[in-house]
Amino acid sequence: MRARPPEPRRTPRMPAPRPRPAEPPRGLLPDVRDLPGLMRGALSDAARALDIGTAVARSSLDVRSTPALTCEPSGTRRTAGVVLDLDDVHRIRKTVGGTVNDVLIAVVAGALRRWLDERGDGSEGVAPRALIPVSKRRPRTAYPQGNRLSGYLIRLPVDDPDPLARLASVRTAMDRNKDAGPNRGAGAVALLADHVPALAHRLGGPLVGQAARLWFDILVTSVPLPSLGLKLGGHPLTAVFPLAPLAPGHSLAVAVSTYRGSVHYGLVADGEAVPDLDLFATAVSKEVATLIKACRS
């Protein structure tokens, strides 16, 4: 007799999974359970926007700027560069205190004074508002990723004839901004993008761009560079000059970088409003020499 082949092993049948209940469709109104959090967020956004907006309005009162820093855009540009010895900047900082950035901003204030007096515009009573951008790095888990731009707004003491007093005024103003933090003050107006509805962005964006001259008078920004030597086409770069954007209605913008033991000022100006940009570049170099001399005396 032939052996009967073994019967195939039967796999027990698993019960079919129950269908998941369909989620109720979202209506136009949020879930009532989310309302407390949404209300707190909305109130927080509104309070922050009001705080920044109030600071912007307050910074626009009793402003004494100079016509040399504003103009009708001509569509033309002039550029210039200045190289300073970083050791000289550190020497000033160690003597007076503060930070390297404080010294670099004070140099701009002194250069503006010298430039305005030499071209005949005069510096008496002039204290233009400088926007100092501040980058706020988002955490890796944040969405969207990348940096957010805030800023500090300070008055440049162009009208003060004492170079060390100008530096002290810049240092005090920057310390005050740092104590408040980049989320507050008129310079943080860029952060309103996170607290204003999208419709307001579309309606108010062009208006804010055209109103830059009402918000600040000159942009002074620091552009960080790697400490390692950079190369272009296999050749080492000996100097790197940053260039800042020129806001509508502004005639001059200043960017600063430190690279391989030197400070590089990149100057951008409206070509018709500032035909003498080379004079301002010379004034930057002279101001550093003036500070060094003042520190020795």
Side-chain angles (χ1 to χ4, degrees):
M1 296 180 60
R2 294 182 177 180
R4 181 178 298 179
E7 296 183 358
R9 182 177 298 176
R10 295 182 180 181
T11 303
R13 182 177 297 178
M14 301 295 295
R18 296 182 179 180
R20 304 177 71 176
E23 295 184 2
R26 289 185 175 271
L28 297 177
L29 297 178
D31 192 323
V32 293
R33 292 169 295 182
D34 298 332
L35 284 178
L38 292 174
M39 290 180 64
R40 284 194 299 269
L43 290 174
S44 175
D45 287 349
R48 181 169 297 179
L50 181 61
D51 177 64
I52 296 174
T54 302
V56 172
R58 188 165 50 244
S59 70
S60 302
L61 299 176
D62 300 328
V63 172
R64 172 69 173 93
S65 183
T66 171
L69 295 179
T70 60
C71 67
E72 292 299 325
S74 67
T76 62
R77 293 290 184 270
R78 293 180 186 272
T79 60
V82 184
V83 181
L84 306 177
D85 191 337
L86 183 57
D87 289 339
D88 290 340
V89 177
H90 280 299
R91 191 175 298 113
I92 298 169
R93 178 193 62 81
K94 290 178 181 179
T95 302
V96 182
T99 66
V100 168
N101 202 40
D102 294 341
V103 177
L104 299 179
I105 295 172
V107 167
V108 174
L112 282 173
R113 175 183 176 83
R114 188 183 303 270
W115 176 63
L116 291 173
D117 288 341
E118 290 180 353
R119 74 193 322 243
D121 290 324
S123 59
E124 184 178 356
V126 174
R129 297 159 300 175
L131 175 64
I132 316 295
V134 177
S135 177
K136 296 187 60 189
R137 186 175 297 276
R138 293 177 182 267
R140 294 183 178 181
T141 57
Y143 181 83
Q145 295 184 349
N147 295 340
R148 290 190 304 169
L149 189 65
S150 181
Y152 298 141
L153 200 67
I154 71 170
R155 296 287 184 92
L156 295 180
V158 174
D159 56 342
D160 195 326
D162 186 344
L164 295 182
R166 288 195 296 266
L167 178 52
S169 295
V170 168
R171 179 183 175 185
T172 299
M174 289 298 291
D175 287 345
R176 187 184 305 116
N177 277 303
K178 292 173 186 176
D179 290 341
N183 292 327
R184 300 175 62 86
V189 69
L191 295 181
L192 288 178
D194 293 335
H195 307 285
V196 177
L199 178 61
H201 290 179
R202 291 192 291 268
L203 296 178
L207 179 61
V208 171
Q210 294 299 323
R213 69 173 72 182
L214 301 178
W215 174 26
F216 63 98
D217 302 300
I218 184 173
L219 176 68
V220 182
T221 181
S222 177
V223 181
L225 292 176
S227 57
L228 300 177
L230 301 176
K231 291 185 177 181
L232 182 62
H235 300 281
L237 296 180
T238 58
V240 180
F241 295 96
L243 297 178
L246 194 61
H250 287 186
S251 60
L252 180 63
V254 180
V256 192
S257 288
T258 57
Y259 177 68
R260 306 195 70 176
S262 297
V263 177
H264 296 85
Y265 279 84
L267 312 176
V268 179
D270 185 278
E272 292 186 6
V274 187
D276 55 349
L277 185 60
D278 57 325
L279 293 180
F280 181 75
T282 302
V284 171
S285 299
K286 290 182 178 179
E287 180 61 18
V288 175
T290 298
L291 282 168
I292 292 176
K293 183 178 178 180
C295 290
R296 291 173 178 170
S297 60

